[in-house]
Amino acid sequence: MPEIDRKGLAESLQQINQALADLAAQTGRLAGAVVNGRSDDERVQVRVTDGWRTVTVRLREDTFRSYDLATLGDVVTRTIRDTQQRARAAFERAAEQLEDPRFDHTELGLRRLESE
């Protein structure tokens, strides 16, 4: 049985940890992207980011004269939900473009494969 290359294993584990940390940082930046949305009549505007969390909801001054409260609730909910779905779809498309760290197992341990 071959001797374990402890130094090589430690270096490989450091590379793996760094690669995963880099991937997590890239994913975090993508999740922080702001996506704006508005209702069809533009009376309701929303901004979402950070894992599709709602950041702001703005209502134009004439919104309460244009809607009863039940309708306004529906419009706000629909606008937020649509914007969150667009933000999530944009995040997923961008995340698919990130390069996963690739490693190969050798007799001496793991080694990181460079991008082709």
Side-chain angles (χ1 to χ4, degrees):
M1 187 159 143
E3 174 103 13
I4 295 175
D5 178 7
R6 294 182 191 280
K7 182 178 178 185
L9 181 59
E11 289 174 4
S12 295
L13 291 175
Q14 285 177 336
Q15 288 180 358
I16 291 170
N17 285 336
Q18 184 60 52
L20 292 175
D22 293 346
L23 189 59
Q26 291 172 357
T27 304
R29 283 192 295 276
L30 293 177
V34 174
V35 176
N36 296 305
R38 52 182 56 126
S39 61
D40 292 338
D41 62 6
E42 298 190 1
R43 285 188 172 95
V44 178
Q45 297 179 358
V46 299
R47 290 169 45 111
V48 299
T49 189
D50 193 23
W52 318 289
R53 176 179 55 90
T54 301
V55 175
T56 60
V57 176
R58 292 188 179 174
L59 306 176
R60 261 186 13 198
E61 290 180 24
D62 64 344
T63 302
F64 289 101
R65 290 189 301 271
S66 302
Y67 296 119
D68 60 63
L69 287 180
T71 304
L72 177 58
D74 290 342
V75 171
V76 169
T77 300
R78 184 173 45 251
T79 304
I80 290 171
R81 188 173 296 135
D82 290 349
T83 306
Q84 287 174 324
Q85 288 173 349
R86 284 190 306 108
R88 183 176 183 138
F91 169 83
E92 288 173 353
R93 282 191 305 273
E96 286 174 358
Q97 302 303 312
L98 294 178
E99 186 175 322
D100 290 334
R102 295 178 46 217
F103 292 87
D104 187 27
H105 184 269
T106 69
E107 285 185 25
L108 299 176
L110 295 172
R111 71 177 173 85
R112 185 164 187 179
L113 298 175
E114 297 302 318
S115 301
E116 297 173 7

